[in-house]
Amino acid sequence: MTPVLGTAMWGWTVGRDQAFALADTFHAIGGRWFDTASNYPIDGNPDHFGLAEHWLADWFTSRGADGQVIVKVGALLNDGSNACDLSPAGLRARLDAARDRFGTSLGVFSIHWDERDNLAEIEGSVEVLRQAAAAGYGIGLSGIRHPHLYAEALGELGWGCWVQVKHNVLSSHALAHYEALHDRGRFLAYGLNAGGLKLGTVYQENNSAYVRDTAAGSDLSRFEAMLQSWKGIQLLPTTFNELALAYAGLNPRISGVLLGPSRTEQLTESMNFLGRLDRIREDASVRERLERAFAA
């Protein structure tokens, strides 16, 4: 299970010093994969467009650190709208900019947000992914409305394509949405903590309250009781964060998790739990207990 440090909140709820502290902690524990996007943070402030990407590049330069970066491109604004430039010329310019910014640390070049249903246009975008792959970079997809068209356009190039999917105990339909790439894609789960959810509390994330609907509220009560009953039992999760990591880690289609902590303490907890996943998978009683809980 590959841990990837996300930067979506850098420049928004996470300041520069804290962002660097998170990257330092992640790297010190052994993390080597980082994720960013040209429109992070998506806070609606045009002055912040690309800020997370710049901070991450600055961190690499200042630390002389080794590691690989997943760069997602295409969005033209950071206000949450679907305004994109996925033309071949636009993507080639973004690829060149990512190479200049991250140098040998650029690991994966990804298309971010595509609602098009025109196969010919998608094939034009995929041609740039093909050029990136020929240059030795991994390729990726995130926020794709019609994955079957990308599967057709990618062909054999789709093998090992990094696909980011929202996947947590309250919402896991996104994985099924990418069924056309199931036999080829390398899936990274994000949104593990369901928008910053903390059990038993009123919690704010991204400057807006997390709203629990009736179905989610029922699940949350069940999970909260479950976690309380598991306290003191070796290997089983004791926090919602650990439960979310286990949910992703036990899914055979998920090969990595995108972590988006705002505190180094949560990052350390996540990395420590991921280090126990192999033992959880090998312990039949623990694994089966978790699988029954998730299937309920």
Side-chain angles (χ1 to χ4, degrees):
M1 181 63 58
T2 302
V4 181
L5 182 63
T7 63
M9 304 310 296
W10 289 20
W12 190 352
T13 61
V14 176
R16 183 182 173 95
D17 289 347
Q18 183 63 8
F20 276 43
L22 288 165
D24 287 340
T25 300
F26 182 69
H27 193 270
I29 297 173
R32 292 297 181 270
W33 280 97
F34 300 78
D35 176 85
T36 193
S38 57
N39 63 329
Y40 284 172
I42 308 175
D43 63 354
N45 184 341
D47 293 335
H48 288 174
F49 185 89
L51 186 60
E53 193 176 23
H54 284 287
W55 282 5
L56 184 58
D58 288 347
W59 177 83
F60 269 95
T61 300
S62 66
R63 301 305 194 257
D66 59 321
Q68 297 288 286
V69 180
I70 301 168
V71 176
K72 305 192 295 284
V73 305
L76 294 173
L77 302 170
N78 64 330
D79 60 0
S81 70
N82 59 1
C84 294
D85 179 5
L86 299 173
S87 66
L91 289 176
R92 279 193 294 269
R94 291 291 188 181
L95 177 57
D96 288 342
R99 282 169 165 162
D100 290 344
R101 185 161 294 133
F102 292 105
T104 58
S105 294
L106 177 61
V108 177
F109 182 72
S110 297
I111 287 178
H112 192 202
W113 291 359
D114 188 357
E115 298 189 349
R116 296 173 301 175
D117 59 3
N118 185 305
L119 179 59
E121 291 180 359
I122 290 170
E123 286 175 335
S125 301
V126 165
E127 183 55 35
V128 182
L129 294 183
R130 199 174 304 279
Q131 293 166 12
Y137 303 112
I139 59 169
L141 302 172
S142 179
I144 304 301
R145 176 66 64 88
H146 300 288
H148 67 286
L149 295 180
Y150 267 91
E152 182 176 347
L154 286 166
E156 291 301 310
L157 188 65
W159 288 101
C161 179
W162 295 61
V163 183
Q164 297 191 12
V165 294
K166 186 175 183 179
H167 185 75
N168 59 60
V169 293
L170 301 181
S171 175
S172 59
H173 63 277
L175 190 58
H177 177 68
Y178 285 91
E179 183 179 6
L181 288 165
H182 277 183
D183 61 340
R184 291 177 282 172
R186 180 178 183 178
F187 289 89
L188 288 177
Y190 71 89
L192 301 178
N193 283 320
L197 177 65
K198 288 186 178 179
L199 294 179
T201 65
V202 176
Y203 186 60
Q204 298 245 335
E205 179 74 0
N206 300 0
N207 301 321
S208 62
Y210 182 85
V211 179
R212 304 176 180 183
D213 60 33
T214 303
S218 174
D219 281 338
L220 295 177
S221 297
R222 178 169 65 89
F223 289 135
E224 188 163 19
M226 185 187 307
L227 290 169
Q228 287 296 325
S229 72
W230 288 349
K231 286 189 180 297
I233 302 177
Q234 191 177 23
L235 295 181
L236 283 170
T238 58
T239 67
F240 188 81
N241 181 48
E242 291 182 346
L243 186 74
L245 291 168
Y247 183 72
L250 292 180
N251 189 312
R253 294 204 183 278
I254 301 294
S255 58
V257 289
L258 211 163
L259 308 174
S262 58
R263 298 177 296 107
T264 55
E265 294 82 4
Q266 185 184 10
L267 175 58
T268 300
E269 175 193 301
S270 298
M271 293 293 281
N272 287 341
F273 188 81
L274 288 173
R276 302 201 299 272
L277 268 180
D278 285 342
R279 292 169 60 198
I280 290 172
R281 293 191 190 101
E282 293 166 1
D283 190 313
S285 64
V286 171
R287 188 184 68 250
E288 290 169 6
R289 193 167 185 171
L290 283 167
E291 288 173 344
R292 285 197 305 271
F294 294 142

